[in-house]
Amino acid sequence: MNKTTVGDIVMLQTDPWKQSIFKLEQGTEIQTHKGTIRHDDIIGQPWGSTISSHLGSDFLLLKPSLRDILLNLPRQSQIIFPKDMGYILLRLSIGSGCNVLEAGTGSGALTTALAWYVGDQGHIYSYDRREDMINLARKNLARFGLTERVTLHLQDLSEALEVQNLDAAFLDLPNPEVHLAVLRKSMMNGAILGAILPTTNQVSRILPALEEQGFASIEVVEILLRFYKPVAERLRPIDRMVAHTGYLVFARAIVR
């Protein structure tokens, strides 16, 4: 449908950097820095239309993209940035029906993206040692109806893993190299492993460990992102850019 209905996740935007994302419910209001808007005034409106607050401020009514959703998730920790996440999803070949392990659930941003892409036929097994992170990730997944696609484990990878035949795995841990032996036993031959690490010291530690534990086709990459001001008369880069966020490491599980 081209119009909003009760239960839709909607986004109100005043400019590209100021957004409010919420679920439409009858009889409810949203408070913004530019006035109050009743949900009933949004329900039934066409996507892409303009909605006015009680103060007369205009908002653009849009369906939030996955990027919008992830950037606006409630969080207690730094999330993986969309610039890295997009490459991670492609590099791990995440698609419908994939079974994927994630270690380092955090606030659940990557968990949400993985669950979005594996569809109803796939599944995500996410591990974290902190109960507060698991609880927050569970709430974030529930906001978008993705709970059934994810099993959350309050556990680290030093313990034996019940899950088997993984198509891919991703590690957001300070010392991923110590968990490779356990993880490799749960991965299918040819499965893809990824990791994100903030320092070169950590990358240097994981590289020999990957070779020792039965991984090959190793790749290390860093992604930089620069936005431009979209004004035709004075097109130039904006004053800030998203530079170093982490080094991405990828490898394939092989038969030794």
Side-chain angles (χ1 to χ4, degrees):
M1 294 180 64
N2 197 37
K3 294 184 178 181
T4 60
T5 60
V6 175
D8 281 345
I9 303 295
V10 303
M11 180 172 71
L12 295 180
Q13 180 172 287
T14 53
D15 64 52
W17 314 110
K18 294 182 181 178
Q19 306 160 340
S20 297
I21 298 177
F22 54 94
K23 181 183 289 188
L24 285 180
E25 301 176 7
Q26 289 182 322
T28 305
E29 295 180 338
I30 178 171
Q31 308 287 336
T32 78
H33 66 295
K34 292 188 176 181
T36 301
I37 301 172
R38 299 192 312 154
H39 286 212
D40 291 343
D41 293 335
I42 303 174
I43 296 169
Q45 295 299 315
W47 295 106
S49 60
T50 299
I51 304 294
S52 297
S53 72
H54 82 289
L55 297 178
S57 298
D58 290 337
F59 294 77
L60 192 59
L61 173 63
L62 300 169
K63 285 184 180 181
S65 67
L66 179 58
R67 174 183 179 274
D68 298 323
I69 288 171
L70 297 178
L71 287 176
N72 286 276
L73 279 181
R75 65 186 71 169
Q76 293 179 3
S77 61
Q78 178 62 59
I79 66 169
I80 295 177
F81 278 76
K83 74 176 181 68
D84 298 313
M85 200 175 296
Y87 189 74
I88 291 168
L89 293 169
L90 287 172
R91 194 64 180 78
L92 296 183
S93 195
I94 303 301
S96 178
C98 285
N99 290 315
V100 186
L101 180 143
E102 173 198 32
T105 310
S107 299
L110 181 60
T111 321
T112 300
L114 290 169
W116 183 293
Y117 280 103
V118 299
D120 291 331
Q121 304 305 312
H123 203 78
I124 309 302
Y125 304 88
S126 190
Y127 292 75
D128 203 292
R129 294 183 300 175
R130 290 179 53 179
E131 188 172 6
D132 59 333
M133 291 300 184
I134 291 290
N135 291 336
L136 178 57
R138 184 177 289 110
K139 291 178 181 177
N140 284 332
L141 289 164
R143 292 180 68 197
F144 306 106
L146 298 171
T147 305
E148 297 301 316
R149 299 181 184 180
V150 180
T151 300
L152 295 167
H153 295 270
L154 183 60
Q155 172 190 335
D156 68 22
L157 299 188
S158 61
E159 306 170 42
L161 304 179
E162 296 180 3
V163 61
Q164 298 294 319
N165 299 320
L166 293 169
D167 298 294
F170 191 80
L171 308 179
D172 185 2
L173 303 170
N175 55 343
E177 67 279 358
V178 303
H179 304 296
L180 294 180
V182 170
L183 181 59
R184 176 64 186 89
K185 296 176 183 178
S186 295
M187 299 179 68
M188 296 177 62
N189 294 326
I192 308 171
L193 170 69
I196 186 167
L197 297 160
T199 70
T200 55
N201 308 67
Q202 292 164 298
V203 175
S204 295
R205 290 199 299 269
I206 197 175
L207 293 179
L210 285 168
E211 295 181 355
E212 291 169 6
Q213 298 300 333
F215 292 90
S217 299
I218 300 171
E219 172 187 275
V220 181
V221 62
E222 179 184 19
I223 298 172
L224 309 179
L225 180 66
R226 184 168 70 171
F227 288 97
Y228 282 70
K229 291 188 175 182
V231 181
E233 294 78 11
R234 48 189 178 87
L235 180 65
R236 67 175 182 84
I238 63 173
D239 298 327
R240 297 181 180 181
M241 71 173 292
V242 184
H244 177 74
T245 50
Y247 300 103
L248 299 175
V249 180
F250 297 96
R252 288 271 194 167
I254 63 169
V255 178
R256 291 191 296 181

